[in-house]
């Protein structure tokens, strides 16, 4: 989930209206190693945004506990992702960068919003129904985490929220909750709206181009992780699914494997996928170009990651400073919600 809110001002009942300047909001769930799809579709746009606007970036570790998890792995992935994002160019002096669980307002607003959400609304979420169908022990947090996601967004007065199709339903639930809360208790929250990134927002699995590249759902052979060495990147791209057509052409519907490679190349070097198809008439040339482009993008990130890994104390200090800034920034939102819903303030 990422968000790019714009300034807004709403009249409120008994509290000051939210009127923050333009801010970008990005959340990342530490459930695995970050991959190329994360970089091209979310991290790189986030880094570009925080150079021109105020930004909030958080690691959604509370979301990572909705299914069975290993506590040590959760901590390790949280630190790895924090280090990776700093290596990718996130500037802690420009962006408020923190871990979700270290800002209690997320959990507090989550509960307040649960008090304005129906069981049926949460139960009808497609991701809950799909994930719960494969588990013997379904955690209650799996049912309610879309409400926590709503809290993540509403805490920061997000207006425009870039989401993929797999998160559209959750964003719609956020809108419904915010609208209902405002209608019941007075104007309190900015009601967000979905916007959709255009280029390389959805990088597909190299081995199965009908499935999105993912930290936990894709096979390792189809996912380029950001810390993969060049030789491994080369092997994965070489084995990427294409098709039996004799020439390279950009056709996402009929030729998804080739289209995926062209979209990755376009995101790395610029240009349109269709134009790049004409420049790389054979699969061999296309895969060689994709390999070179991806390795070129990953090299500076991996070098910086190696440096930062030698000083984990610095990364922890960055996260601690960011959490303090975030706690101060969202204090007013939680106050408005507490006051509106009837709690003593």
């Amino acid at each position: 989930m990422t968000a790019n809110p714009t300034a807004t001002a709403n009249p409120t009942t008994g509290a000051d209206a939210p009127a923050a300047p333009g801010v970008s909001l990005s959340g990342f769930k530490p459930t695995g190693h970050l991959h190329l799809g994360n970089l091209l579709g979310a991290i790189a746009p986030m880094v570009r945004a925080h150079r021109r606007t105020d930004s909030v970036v958080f690691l959604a570790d509370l979301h990572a506990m909705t299914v069975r998890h290993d506590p040590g792995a959760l901590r390790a992935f949280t630190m790895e992702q924090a280090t990776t994002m700093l290596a990718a160019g996130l500037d802690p002096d420009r962006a408020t960068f923190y871990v979700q669980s270290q800002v209690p307002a997320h959990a507090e607003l989550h509960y307040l919003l649960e008090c304005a959400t129906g069981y049926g609304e949460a139960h009808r979420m497609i991701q809950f129904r799909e994930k719960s169908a494969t588990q013997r022990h379904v955690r209650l947090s799996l049912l309610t985490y879309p409400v926590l996601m709503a809290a993540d967004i509403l805490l920061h007065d997000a207006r425009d929220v870039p989401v993929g199709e797999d998160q559209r339903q959750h964003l719609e639930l956020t809108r419904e909750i915010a609208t209902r809360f405002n209608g019941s208790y007075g104007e309190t929250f900015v009601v967000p709206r979905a916007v959709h990134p255009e280029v390389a927002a959805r990088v597909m699995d190299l081995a199965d181009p009908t499935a999105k590249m993912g930290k936990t759902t894709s096979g390792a052979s189809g996912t380029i992780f950001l810390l993969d060495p060049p030789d491994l990147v080369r092997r994965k791209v070489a084995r990427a699914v294409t098709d039996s057509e004799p020439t390279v052409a950009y056709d996402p519907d009929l030729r998804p494997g080739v289209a995926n490679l062209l979209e990755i190349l376009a995101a790395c070097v610029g240009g349109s996928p269709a134009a790049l198809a004409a420049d790389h008439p054979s699969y061999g040339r296309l895969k060689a170009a994709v390999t070179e482009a991806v390795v070129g993008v990953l090299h500076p990130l991996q070098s910086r990651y190696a440096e930062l890994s030698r000083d984990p104390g610095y990364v922890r200090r960055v996260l601690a400073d960011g959490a303090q800034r975030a706690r101060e920034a969202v204090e007013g939102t939680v106050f408005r919600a507490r006051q509106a819903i009837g709690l003593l303030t």
Side-chain angles (χ1 to χ4, degrees):
M1 178 273 293
T2 60
N4 293 300
T6 56
T8 186
N10 289 338
T12 61
T13 301
D16 291 336
V23 176
S24 68
L25 173 66
S26 304
F28 299 84
K29 186 163 62 174
T31 53
H33 305 293
L34 291 170
H35 56 76
L36 187 65
N38 298 133
L39 179 66
L40 300 181
I43 298 174
M46 174 265 294
V47 169
R48 289 193 296 269
H50 89 320
R51 292 171 181 165
R52 61 180 183 269
T53 186
D54 293 334
S55 297
V56 174
V57 183
F58 67 93
L59 298 175
D61 55 342
L62 297 178
H63 289 287
M65 300 190 298
T66 59
V67 296
R68 185 174 181 178
H69 71 285
D70 177 87
L74 175 57
R75 283 189 289 270
F77 281 133
T78 300
M79 280 296 293
E80 180 183 299
Q81 288 198 9
T83 306
T84 302
M85 282 192 275
L86 291 171
L90 189 152
D91 184 346
D93 292 329
R94 292 176 176 265
T96 300
F97 183 37
Y98 67 95
V99 177
Q100 180 189 37
S101 63
Q102 295 181 346
V103 178
H106 284 270
E108 181 176 2
L109 187 58
H110 178 201
Y111 180 75
L112 298 183
L113 295 181
E114 283 186 334
C115 296
T117 307
Y119 167 80
E121 291 177 301
H123 190 268
R124 68 179 169 82
M125 295 292 104
I126 294 173
Q127 286 196 24
F128 169 75
R129 292 160 61 186
E130 291 178 348
K131 291 183 178 181
S132 62
T134 63
Q135 299 177 33
R136 295 181 60 185
H137 176 72
V138 180
R139 297 185 177 185
L140 182 59
S141 57
L142 182 61
L143 175 68
T144 63
Y145 96 91
V147 186
L148 177 57
M149 184 182 296
D152 299 336
I153 296 170
L154 299 178
L155 265 179
H156 295 283
D157 295 329
R159 168 68 74 185
D160 296 330
V161 183
V163 292
E165 286 300 321
D166 57 340
Q167 295 295 338
R168 172 181 280 274
Q169 191 182 34
H170 293 155
L171 193 280
E172 287 303 315
L173 178 63
T174 300
R175 289 173 50 82
E176 292 169 8
I177 294 171
T179 300
R180 181 180 303 115
F181 195 105
N182 289 348
S184 298
Y185 305 115
E187 294 292 329
T188 305
F189 299 116
V190 173
V191 179
R193 60 195 175 202
V195 297
H196 301 286
E198 296 180 1
V199 179
R202 189 178 174 86
V203 177
M204 309 307 285
D205 190 293
L206 297 179
D208 179 9
T210 65
K212 188 172 70 170
M213 191 177 287
K215 297 189 296 291
T216 58
T217 56
S218 297
S221 63
T223 301
I224 297 176
F225 296 107
L226 299 186
L227 301 181
D228 280 350
D231 285 347
L232 184 54
V233 172
R234 187 171 293 105
R235 291 198 298 272
K236 289 181 177 181
V237 174
R239 296 170 183 168
V241 170
T242 53
D243 53 48
S244 59
E245 295 295 326
T247 59
V248 174
Y250 181 64
D251 188 337
D253 294 328
L254 298 180
R255 307 179 66 182
V258 178
N260 188 40
L261 291 174
L262 289 167
E263 288 173 357
I264 290 172
L265 183 59
C268 291
V269 303
S272 72
L276 290 169
D279 294 336
H280 301 84
S282 71
Y283 296 135
R285 287 179 59 178
L286 174 61
K287 289 184 175 182
V290 171
T291 298
E292 181 180 2
V294 171
V295 170
V297 166
L298 296 185
H299 176 71
L301 183 154
Q302 292 176 356
S303 297
R304 179 60 175 153
Y305 181 90
E307 295 176 7
L308 291 169
S309 295
R310 291 192 286 270
D311 188 5
Y314 166 76
V315 178
R316 290 182 178 275
R317 289 193 297 274
V318 166
L319 294 173
D321 290 346
Q324 179 59 37
R325 290 162 60 187
R327 286 191 289 268
E328 295 171 358
V330 303
E331 183 178 3
T333 306
V334 177
F335 178 85
R336 293 197 311 269
R338 287 174 57 89
Q339 186 179 51
I341 206 168
L343 299 180
L344 290 176
T345 55

